[in-house]
Amino acid sequence: MSAKKIFFFILFCYSFVANAQKLQIKTSKNELKNIESILLQEKNFGIDTTALKEYLSPLNKITKYQSIYKGLLANGFSNYYNSRNKTSENYYLNSIKKAKTSHNISLEIWAKLNYINYLYFYRDYIKLTPFLLEIMENLEPLQAEQIINADETYKRIGWILHTFGDYKKSLHYLKLAEKQAVKNTSEYASIINSIGLNYLYIQDYKMATYYLNETAKISAQIHDDVRYAKALGDLAMVSQQKGDLRTAITYLKKDIHISEQNKSDQNTMYASILLAEVLLKNNQKEEAFDFLNKAENIAVTKSYFKKSELQIIKLKLQILKLQNSTENELNLRRRMVAIEESIENEDGDEAINQANWIIEKNNYQQSIDEAKTKYEKTLKKFYIIIVTMVFSILLLVFVYFIKKYKVKQEEYEQKLKALESEKEKMEQKVHEDLESQIEYLKEKSVQIRNLKKEIENIEKSSFYYLEKRKGKLSDLLQSHLMTELEWSAFKREFEKECSKFYILLNQDFPEMSEPDKRLLLLQKLDFSNNEIAELLEITNESVKESKEKLKETLGDRYKLLFGRFY
């Protein structure tokens, strides 16, 4: 017998023995730990459902573990079909039913979350949402030690809420998961990676970078190459948001290389799509198209990658448009329409929005129900006393506030008229030369500053409700802000009086943005930082920073610009 045959024979025997083993059940006093021990023994039997049932059979003989038996069978058949299937659906629902009849809330949470994981994997966000709401309600009064695999439970909920765009609530659950997870493990790295992503989406780049760097560091230490690759891909997203495309490209290429080495097709696909987007922004269209082809080869292999395939198609069409090419455009558009129709009620944005709507509706209804219950209890106890007292008090308060409101309203209107009058006087003046333009701008700056102070004072006073409701002072402030027409008139007069400066600025400094040019013109005319801030609608600190930045950017050319004409 050849060495190769001997090797396969030994492998077969090992596989047979391994599959012949049965799941072990602990009988300690801590029932939660017993269940967690069972769940740790879950195996993937692939297409061998007979071995799956045999392995799980000890659970079927114990009434209190019937829910776990059905739930793990559902997972096994999901592995077998590698797609949505009725057998798994029936087992999942049966598992939830068994858990409810056991009156074990921890087990019920596990059974529902087990089903949610299945629905989430296959992108059925609408169907999973009611179960998610139930779990979140069930978890509210429980401590972590009362929850089966608390870290995993919190993490999964955090992931789903992240998908729904509820980043604040997602962070809440992920922080709970972080507290429960064992440090320096793949599970812990996964949790802090998710926390980093939530900070990224709320644009807290400092915290996002910290958590994602921690993910990469821990993943490298424990040799979790795929998690390390994902962390690099997520750091690339941070770099992309900051405008550092070169660093983002470097991170993503390394991510793809490691993912391919570890045969992580899904991560390879996601990273390739993201890299294509970054390359496209960097005007590397051909290379972007190559990575889209790489991603597409993976996307078409699984039905639950349709959203990714749609993203790939849209990016390809964008590249073809930029290249003025129609090659394969018709086929791409046909496939795009087909995918959009197929994911409309499952994986599309509409499905996610609908799921969000259900959550918001539930929260709203819950708050109404709580308020209604509280109100009814109070009403039953104090109905007569409250009605009498409230009626009397409201009548007195109503009369008092009506009078006070009229007085405050008159004072508010008088302030408004005075400020409007000042504005009208200023605008009636003729601005035919640069000197009058300067005077006009300085007056406008003073009025803007005074108006802002007036609004700040009102916000701290009893006038605030009037301004909040009417917003007339805020409207007046907006009307004070410089229009493009006014800027054009100002530049026209400036060009007449300071033509050399204006020509030099436009010819020798073409890289200057319009806001920078406006700042330089005002600086040339000795406008103070405060005046410039009011006219450019920015803070005093921003003016200082912009000036310093311009000095650093232009170097010696800055001195050339001002030294020649001052």
Side-chain angles (χ1 to χ4, degrees), residues 247-378:
T247 302
I249 291 169
T250 301
Y251 277 140
L252 286 166
K253 286 185 176 180
K254 194 170 182 180
D255 176 3
I256 293 167
H257 176 70
I258 296 171
S259 298
E260 287 179 329
Q261 281 185 329
N262 288 271
K263 298 181 180 178
S264 177
D265 289 343
Q266 185 167 334
N267 196 51
T268 300
M269 177 185 70
Y270 288 152
S272 297
I273 295 172
L274 183 56
L275 178 55
E277 290 178 342
V278 178
L279 289 169
L280 188 55
K281 286 182 179 179
N282 207 38
N283 202 31
Q284 296 173 246
K285 296 184 282 292
E286 291 77 11
E287 192 174 357
F289 211 92
D290 292 338
F291 279 99
L292 288 174
N293 286 332
K294 181 193 291 284
E296 187 177 36
N297 291 335
I298 300 170
V300 296
T301 62
K302 305 291 182 184
S303 60
Y304 45 84
F305 287 160
K306 283 183 179 178
K307 190 173 183 180
S308 295
E309 187 183 353
L310 180 61
Q311 189 180 1
I312 292 165
I313 291 172
K314 288 181 177 179
L315 284 170
K316 281 190 170 184
L317 288 171
Q318 188 178 344
I319 293 172
L320 289 176
K321 184 178 180 181
L322 291 172
Q323 294 176 331
N324 294 320
S325 173
T326 58
E327 183 182 353
N328 204 31
E329 181 182 355
L330 184 58
N331 289 335
L332 287 172
R333 292 195 179 278
R334 285 174 177 169
R335 179 59 182 162
M336 180 175 69
V337 172
I339 295 174
E340 287 175 337
E341 290 176 353
S342 69
I343 67 174
E344 183 177 359
N345 293 316
E346 290 183 7
D347 196 25
D349 292 333
E350 184 177 334
I352 295 175
N353 291 336
Q354 188 169 347
N356 270 318
W357 178 82
I358 294 171
I359 291 175
E360 291 301 322
K361 183 180 179 184
N362 179 82
N363 292 338
Y364 178 73
Q365 188 61 48
Q366 187 177 358
S367 64
I368 290 177
D369 292 342
E370 289 174 357
K372 186 177 179 182
T373 302
K374 187 177 180 181
Y375 173 77
E376 288 174 350
K377 288 180 179 178
T378 306

Side-chain angles (χ1 to χ4, degrees), residues 478-507:
Q478 287 297 317
S479 70
H480 266 295
L481 300 178
M482 289 284 286
T483 65
E484 289 299 323
L485 192 61
E486 288 174 322
W487 278 116
S488 297
F490 166 69
K491 286 193 289 185
R492 201 163 45 244
E493 297 304 323
F494 183 97
E495 185 179 4
K496 291 178 184 177
E497 298 292 331
C498 304
S499 58
K500 291 183 179 180
F501 182 96
Y502 193 87
I503 292 169
L504 178 66
L505 179 63
N506 284 282
Q507 289 183 355

Side-chain angles (χ1 to χ4, degrees), residues 77 137 149 245 298 302 345 419 453 467 497 520:
F77 276 95
E137 185 178 354
N149 291 331
L245 301 184
I298 300 170
K302 305 291 182 184
N345 293 316
L419 291 166
K453 287 181 181 177
E467 173 59 20
E497 298 292 331
L520 291 171

Side-chain angles (χ1 to χ4, degrees), residues 411-427:
E411 291 178 16
Y412 175 82
E413 293 294 340
Q414 286 174 2
K415 282 180 178 284
L416 182 66
K417 285 179 181 178
L419 291 166
E420 287 177 336
S421 176
E422 289 179 12
K423 181 174 183 291
E424 288 176 6
K425 289 178 182 178
M426 179 186 71
E427 290 180 343

Side-chain angles (χ1 to χ4, degrees), residues 415 418-419 422-423 426 442-458 473 476-477 480 530 534:
K415 282 180 178 284
L419 291 166
E422 289 179 12
K423 181 174 183 291
M426 179 186 71
K442 286 186 178 289
E443 285 184 22
K444 181 181 281 287
S445 171
V446 171
Q447 289 197 15
I448 290 173
R449 184 163 59 255
N450 291 341
L451 192 51
K452 283 183 178 178
K453 287 181 181 177
E454 194 65 48
I455 291 174
E456 288 176 2
N457 292 334
I458 283 177
L473 289 175
L476 183 60
L477 177 61
H480 266 295
N530 286 333
E534 302 298 351

